[in-house]
Amino acid sequence: MKKIKQLFAGLILMALGQGTAQAEYTLNLMKGVTKVSNDVYDLHMLILWICVFIGIGVFGAMFYSIYHHRKSKGHKAEQFHENTTVEIIWTIIPTLILIGMAIPATKTMMELDNVQESEMSIKVTGWQWKWEYEYLDNGIHFFSSLDEASNKARQMDSGIDPRTVPHYLLNVDKPLVVPVKKKIRFVFTAADVIHSWWVPDLGWKKDANPGFINEAWTSVEKPGTYRGQCTELCGKDHGFMPIVVIAMEQADYDAWVKKTQDETAKGASVEDQSHDELVAQGASVYAKNCASCHMASGEGVPGTFPAMKASPVVTGDINAQTNLILNGKGMMPAFGKMLNAAELAQVITYTRNALGNSVGDEIQPKAIQALLPQTAAPAAKAESKKKTEPSASLSKDELISKGEAVYVKNCASCHMSDGAGMPGTFPAITGSSVVTGDINSQVKLMLDGKGMMPAFGSMLDAEDFAAVVTYTRNALGNSVGDSIQPSAIQTLQSANE
Ligand code: HEC
Ligand code: HEC
Ligand SMILES: [Cu+2]
């Protein structure tokens, strides 16, 4: 009853123009914080008023006729058929109305789709059940998942009242940070099933499909925190993959970029930990990353997600278990990319010594680190190396083997790790006419960028640059046979500066 009253009060306030987007009950779309979201709102209002106007006109005429020409007043029905004038009028007027509505609608659609001239790009990948963000311009890369407080409260019989959790189910551990008043292009894809990225304040939602790239853009007008969630039914924890976007002034954003890059450069600690420390810290890694499938107490979901308790893998060879967790298997995600060495060591040790298991052994972060693909600390390292070290000359084989890591880190997100690209969006490296053609034109394209291909001239140091060029020409299905030395790249880079 109270709810109905509130809704009713909300309705009246709305009608009086007193309602705000923050009110608990609102009926209308929100205006949002971008030009596009405001244009969508205005379009919606325009169409609404046209409909209201037509509705009043049509029903008004109907009720007037029914009342004034009623039988009891002695009126008789007119018996005419096929009145050409009337038929022409009732064809032309609706046609004009439809055209009048199609013009502003098309304009807004085109504005929504126009990702041209964007100033930065972010690749968004949907996972069951978290979001991965990759800033294509500065190399920042992280996963964003449900915050710990919501995650604890949502567990069955948690005993926590969700109303005491701030932004329950709408909060994440690592929000997406963007600068205001900058045109940001998003490219969307998914790693498993279809997800959909939706932040109402931005005015649109976009599907993230495995194997496809979708694009969208935004330019946030006002600094603030904007929340949203996945709006595609994407599996059992679909309701637990919220989105938080924090828009900041450019200077604050730059500081955030610097801080995040410094943290990545420092890398996570791979110090040895005691057995008990590993188990204790593994518990929260498990709760955050594994419990959604294997359940908080490790009993799994019979037939779908195996139990941790007494699992032959968990109680068997620790290296085999590590291998499975790093590389995934079927619906089990590959965590090698998502967690750092310390977190992996903790969660593996935890599963073996808790949740009903007591194998008694452990694995240390250093052992995991050795198994992970070489995670070079990006920008910061390139920066310091660029100026100081004179580039030594390297053999072709050295360049190729070094180039592979550079490729995986900088190119594979678009051209794919096997060089197959994504037809229609990112050209294949395998058999590319640029890669198999003149080496200087390939270098030029990579230095300067082209369309959606970033300019790597200032992002890679000369050695990494030479290595990745040589790698693309002699691997990924290509065998041109030539190579380029870091010194040649250095000359071109300094000419560009
Ligand atoms: C999206 C759901 C999902 C998540 C999240 C997940 N797993 Fe799994 N896991 C699976 C599935 C499915 C399998 C069965 C894989 C197979 O054998 O095909 C599995 C298998 C395993 C196994 C082998 C068990 C056995 O007896 O075969 C271990 C160990 C394991 N997972 C540990 C973890 C750990 C540790 C985490 C967190 C870091 C985790 N999983 C997160 C779905 C998941
Ligand atoms: C953000 C996505 C993205 C990243 C990251 C990226 N590229 Fe590209 N690349 C593209 C796009 C898009 C094109 C097509 C450009 C055009 O022709 O308009 C392209 C074109 C190319 C071409 C020309 C291929 C042809 O046949 O036209 C080469 C070679 C190339 N990229 C190499 C690289 C290398 C090497 C790296 C890593 C150092 C890299 N790219 C990173 C998106 C990307
Ligand atoms: Cu989803």
Side-chain angles (χ1 to χ4, degrees), residues 121-136 139-146 172-177 185-192 195-197 208 230 241-244 256 333-339 408-409 412-414 416 422:
S121 300
I122 300 177
K123 182 171 173 227
V124 181
T125 310
W127 293 76
Q128 282 174 319
W129 289 276
K130 51 174 81 83
W131 294 100
E132 178 186 7
Y133 297 112
E134 275 177 88
Y135 292 65
L136 297 177
I140 291 180
H141 172 217
F142 57 88
F143 285 84
S144 174
S145 27
L146 186 65
V172 297
D173 53 353
K174 289 184 202 147
L176 178 71
V177 177
R185 181 181 63 122
F186 291 96
V187 291
F188 291 97
T189 188
D192 34 45
H195 301 268
S196 186
W197 198 87
C230 176
M241 50 184 297
I243 299 160
V244 178
W256 175 82
F335 283 96
K337 210 179 139 192
M338 289 187 230
L339 301 177
V408 168
K409 213 179 127 278
S413 58
C414 295
M416 300 293 112
M422 285 203 180

Side-chain angles (χ1 to χ4, degrees), residues 128-130 192 236 285-294 304-315 320-322 324-325 328-333 335 338-339 343-344 347-348 350-352 355:
Q128 282 174 319
W129 289 276
K130 51 174 81 83
D192 34 45
K236 69 179 262 293
V285 182
Y286 182 87
K288 207 173 123 203
N289 296 281
C290 323
S292 57
C293 294
H294 296 292
T304 315
F305 303 123
M308 293 291 102
K309 185 175 174 185
S311 143
V313 176
V314 179
T315 55
Q321 184 190 348
T322 304
L324 180 127
I325 290 177
K329 180 176 170 195
M331 275 168 67
M332 162 81 185
F335 283 96
M338 289 187 230
L339 301 177
E343 290 166 329
L344 287 162
V347 77
I348 293 169
Y350 173 75
T351 56
R352 299 176 77 83
L355 305 172

Side-chain angles (χ1 to χ4, degrees), residues 474-491:
N474 298 285
L476 303 172
N478 298 322
S479 52
V480 187
D482 57 1
S483 63
I484 190 160
Q485 284 297 331
S487 54
I489 302 289
Q490 218 165 32
T491 318

Side-chain angles (χ1 to χ4, degrees), residues 7-70:
L7 184 60
F8 194 67
L11 232 160
I12 293 172
L13 282 178
M14 280 286 304
L16 295 172
Q18 301 293 302
T20 71
Q22 269 69 46
E24 198 178 346
Y25 294 98
T26 57
L27 289 174
N28 211 344
L29 293 183
M30 52 164 54
K31 282 192 174 175
V33 291
T34 66
K35 179 169 177 300
V36 167
S37 68
N38 278 274
D39 290 351
V40 168
Y41 178 88
D42 291 344
L43 176 67
H44 159 77
M45 290 314 287
L46 174 73
I47 307 288
L48 176 73
W49 287 122
I50 293 176
C51 294
V52 167
F53 184 76
I54 294 173
I56 291 176
V58 170
F59 282 100
M62 243 170 72
F63 287 130
Y64 175 84
S65 321
I66 291 170
Y67 185 73
H68 279 277
H69 305 130
R70 61 187 185 276

Side-chain angles (χ1 to χ4, degrees), residues 399-400 402-408 410-411 429 435 442 446 456 460 462-474 476 484:
L399 286 170
I400 294 174
K402 196 168 182 338
E404 180 169 2
V406 182
Y407 182 85
V408 168
N410 297 283
C411 323
I429 298 296
V435 179
Q442 182 186 348
M446 289 175 47
F456 282 98
L460 297 175
E463 199 174 296
D464 284 352
F465 198 108
V468 76
V469 173
T470 309
Y471 173 74
T472 56
R473 300 178 73 85
N474 298 285
L476 303 172
I484 190 160

Side-chain angles (χ1 to χ4, degrees), residues 39 80 84 91 146-147 261 358 366 411 429 434 448:
D39 290 351
F80 66 84
T84 315
T91 308
L146 186 65
D147 73 312
Q261 281 175 337
S358 52
K366 278 205 186 78
C411 323
I429 298 296
V434 175
D448 303 338

